[in-house]
Amino acid sequence: MTDALELSIVMPCLNEAKTVGECVTTARRALERMRIAGEVIVADNGSSDGSVALAEQAGARVVPVARRGYGAALAAGIAAARGTYVLMGDADLTYDFDAIDPFVERLRAGDDLVMGNRFTGGVQRGAMPLLHRWLGNPVLSFLGRLFYRSDVSDFHCGLRAFRRDAIARLDLRSTGMEYATEMVAKSALHRLTVSEVPATLAPDMRDRPPHLRTWRDGWRHLRFMLLYSPRWLFLYPGALLMLLGALTSLWLLPGPQHAGDVSFDVHTLIYAALAMIVGFQAVVFALFTKTFAITEGLLPPDPRLDRLYRYVTLETGLVVGSAIFIVGVIWSIYAVAVWRARSFGPLDASDTALTLRVVIVSGTAIALGLESVLASFFLSVLGLRRR
């Protein structure tokens, strides 16, 4: 395969006999009208209703894809494409393949990825369920912009175009519906040039239920976004927990505190200490995940992480962790000394209040110290291949 063509139009297909022929015909007509050297590829995912024959009759090159899944079909179709650019769209007549001019214009202008935006182009009546239009797509697109610092307003538009070599470098791995999200997310993470153009969405003309499952596929999109954003999955929640736990602990260390008629004492202090421990674990998980993802090529290199590792070494972690552990042991010895002064017998109310606070703080310090030491060793293991 060579880049002898300018544009390849790729359509995933699974039992689209009613619509695939017209989609291919429309796409070929657009190529002829725009005088583009191109091709139409139908990535067939195991159709049993004659879709393959109809696509070939209409002039498409059919690529059989054994592995099931929207992403698997698209990946195979894109891999087989010969065009410098690729435009992908569903084979169910929901998108107009005769209106691809703005996509081609933006690609020729140098953009790496051109997204369709159905909310600026227009969603025809009955084309999108109300739950998808007013909740699913807006919420997931908002989270995508937040997590990946992207400007894309419609993360899940099925009509999009891109430079084939640019997207190939992203090493997309999803096989399901979240393939579309992975493409946009990784494009943002790798700082590709991304733009949006209006796209219309029409009701599909299929005579079978859609492949999309609202809650299952919505969850898969959300799960992918979280897994590819250690900052929002681990780092920010963990840092917030640590901050709240530390502030609450400092507030309660001198003694019981009151907020109106509500009293807070050692019971609240225990939960504050727990928040600090869990928060620390989450922050450490963020470092684990980020390091592993970069090492395995799931995420691009991060200069900030490289700078951090100049200071966060195994030796640094051992020293800091050991120091925190020793502080916890010293406080524990102090608590035992108070108990020993009472001949290891029952403590009075004032001694109980004091020793409980000391024990909670010392136990927290011991736990954080040991976790720091263990985390330092594990980060060093993850960094072996990286170094």
Side-chain angles (χ1 to χ4, degrees), residues 166-183:
I167 297 302
R169 289 194 297 268
L170 299 182
D171 188 23
L172 305 181
R173 304 188 183 191
S174 300
T175 59
M177 288 290 183
E178 63 273 25
Y179 181 89
T181 301
E182 183 181 8
M183 181 182 294

Side-chain angles (χ1 to χ4, degrees), residues 245-281:
L247 292 177
T248 304
S249 297
L250 292 174
W251 183 50
L252 292 173
L253 275 180
Q257 300 293 340
H258 304 277
D261 296 331
V262 181
S263 297
F264 299 94
D265 204 346
V266 290
H267 308 86
T268 306
L269 183 59
I270 292 174
Y271 284 102
L274 178 63
M276 292 179 63
I277 294 173
V278 174
F280 178 80
Q281 290 175 337

Side-chain angles (χ1 to χ4, degrees), residues 86-365:
V86 174
L87 182 139
M88 56 177 260
D90 299 335
D92 56 6
L93 291 178
T94 52
Y95 297 108
D96 184 5
F97 287 101
D98 195 35
I100 62 174
D101 306 55
F103 291 91
V104 177
E105 290 173 5
R106 293 309 313 163
L107 290 173
R108 288 173 173 171
D111 293 352
D112 296 307
L113 172 63
V114 185
M115 294 290 300
N117 189 324
R118 297 165 294 181
F119 302 108
T120 58
V123 178
Q124 297 181 16
R125 186 172 183 178
M128 184 184 296
L130 293 178
L131 185 62
H132 295 188
R133 182 171 184 177
W134 301 110
L135 180 62
N137 276 293
V139 169
L140 290 175
S141 293
F142 168 76
L143 292 177
R145 291 192 298 274
L146 178 66
F147 290 177
Y148 307 110
R149 299 172 184 173
S150 170
D151 296 326
V152 174
S153 299
D154 186 3
F155 251 63
H156 305 101
C157 182
L159 186 65
R160 57 186 70 180
F162 46 85
R163 292 187 59 89
R164 181 164 58 87
D165 59 348
I167 297 302
R169 289 194 297 268
L170 299 182
D171 188 23
L172 305 181
R173 304 188 183 191
S174 300
T175 59
M177 288 290 183
E178 63 273 25
Y179 181 89
T181 301
E182 183 181 8
M183 181 182 294
V184 185
K186 282 193 171 181
S187 294
L189 292 171
H190 285 263
R191 301 293 185 265
L192 298 187
T193 304
V194 182
S195 60
E196 280 188 298
V197 298
T200 59
L201 183 69
D204 69 72
M205 303 304 294
R206 294 172 294 200
D207 53 2
R208 57 160 180 76
H211 298 303
L212 183 66
R213 297 292 181 267
T214 298
W215 297 108
R216 181 200 65 182
D217 292 317
W219 162 244
R220 291 181 66 166
H221 282 289
L222 178 59
R223 180 185 65 179
F224 172 86
M225 288 182 177
L226 290 171
L227 293 178
Y228 269 74
S229 182
R231 289 181 301 129
W232 287 94
L233 180 59
F234 296 121
L235 181 60
Y236 294 159
L240 181 61
L241 270 178
M242 286 188 69
L243 178 62
L244 292 176
L247 292 177
T248 304
S249 297
L250 292 174
W251 183 50
L252 292 173
L253 275 180
Q257 300 293 340
H258 304 277
D261 296 331
V262 181
S263 297
F264 299 94
D265 204 346
V266 290
H267 308 86
T268 306
L269 183 59
I270 292 174
Y271 284 102
L274 178 63
M276 292 179 63
I277 294 173
V278 174
F280 178 80
Q281 290 175 337
V283 171
V284 170
F285 283 168
L287 287 175
F288 293 163
T289 306
K290 186 81 170 181
T291 304
F292 174 79
I294 292 175
T295 302
E296 295 300 317
L298 298 173
L299 293 176
D302 189 338
R304 294 169 300 180
L305 195 64
D306 293 333
R307 289 194 296 269
L308 177 66
Y309 276 129
R310 295 176 188 172
Y311 307 101
V312 180
T313 62
L314 173 60
E315 292 74 18
T316 304
L318 292 179
V319 170
V320 173
S322 298
I324 297 173
F325 175 80
I326 291 172
V327 169
V329 171
I330 292 173
W331 277 66
S332 297
I333 293 173
Y334 172 74
V336 173
V338 173
W339 187 28
R340 181 177 178 277
R342 300 295 183 270
S343 301
F344 299 106
L347 301 174
D348 57 34
S350 60
D351 287 335
T352 299
L354 172 63
T355 53
L356 271 178
R357 280 175 167 75
V358 171
V359 167
I360 292 171
V361 172
S362 60
T364 303

